[in-house]
């Protein structure tokens, strides 16, 4: 009987870990923006403030987060031909993603400020 309880508890814990991890790691693809962000060409991922003024550009594929020195990053355009851009938020390790050739509004209610970027060679978000 005790063995079954231990097994059930282990399965329950593993399930909870997967569900919590999915919320923290497999966040949404950032909301598509209808406006056109300018001044960004391949192979860069550019970030913009709330007025759509370019405030940074990144091209290096890394296995770590490159942090922003600004707190007003609001939009992104991924001008790369391949490789997604993940964005890290200040609350709970939330992330979002922008696929190649896409632009997005990065403000997601409840996620906090965008604090970093990580460019991956993956062709699709959260693949």
């Amino acid at each position: 009987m005790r063995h079954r309880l231990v097994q059930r508890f282990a399965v329950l814990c593993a399930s909870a870990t997967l569900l919590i991890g999915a919320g923290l790691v497999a966040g949404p693809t950032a909301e598509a923006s209808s406006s056109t962000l300018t001044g960004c060409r391949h192979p860069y991922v550019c970030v913009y403030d709330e007025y759509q003024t370019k405030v940074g550009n990144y091209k290096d594929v890394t296995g770590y987060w490159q942090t922003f020195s600004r707190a007003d990053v609001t939009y992104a355009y991924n001008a790369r031909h391949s490789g997604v851009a993940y964005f890290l938020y200040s609350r709970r390790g939330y992330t979002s993603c922008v696929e190649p050739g896409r632009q997005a509004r990065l403000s997601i209610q409840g996620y906090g400020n965008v604090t970093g970027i990580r460019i991956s060679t993956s062709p699709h978000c959260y693949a």
Side-chain angles (χ1 to χ4, degrees), residues 70-99:
R70 306 177 63 105
D72 62 346
V73 172
T74 307
Y75 296 95
Y77 175 58
N78 184 350
R80 298 174 67 85
H81 297 155
S82 64
V84 298
Y86 291 101
F87 293 91
L88 179 66
Y89 293 81
S90 59
R91 294 202 183 125
R92 295 189 188 166
Y94 286 133
T95 62
S96 67
C97 183
V98 180
E99 293 188 338

Side-chain angles (χ1 to χ4, degrees), residues 3-37:
H3 180 57
R4 275 196 183 152
L5 286 175
V6 170
Q7 278 183 321
R8 286 182 183 171
F9 183 72
V11 168
L12 191 66
C13 288
S15 298
T17 301
L18 286 174
L19 289 173
I20 291 168
L24 297 178
V25 177
T29 299
E31 178 183 325
S33 171
S34 60
S35 63
T36 302
L37 302 171

Side-chain angles (χ1 to χ4, degrees), residues 35-115:
S35 63
T36 302
L37 302 171
T38 60
C40 191
R41 300 195 188 286
H42 174 75
Y44 289 96
V45 177
C46 300
V47 292
Y48 302 80
D49 66 12
E50 64 184 303
Y51 305 106
Q52 298 182 2
T53 301
K54 187 167 78 169
V55 295
N57 53 289
Y58 301 83
K59 70 175 183 173
D60 296 333
V61 173
T62 66
Y64 57 88
W65 293 103
Q66 298 176 71
T67 57
F68 298 138
S69 58
R70 306 177 63 105
D72 62 346
V73 172
T74 307
Y75 296 95
Y77 175 58
N78 184 350
R80 298 174 67 85
H81 297 155
S82 64
V84 298
Y86 291 101
F87 293 91
L88 179 66
Y89 293 81
S90 59
R91 294 202 183 125
R92 295 189 188 166
Y94 286 133
T95 62
S96 67
C97 183
V98 180
E99 293 188 338
R102 304 271 179 148
Q103 61 186 16
R105 179 175 174 85
L106 298 175
S107 297
I108 300 173
Q109 186 173 3
Y111 278 34
N113 294 330
V114 180
T115 59

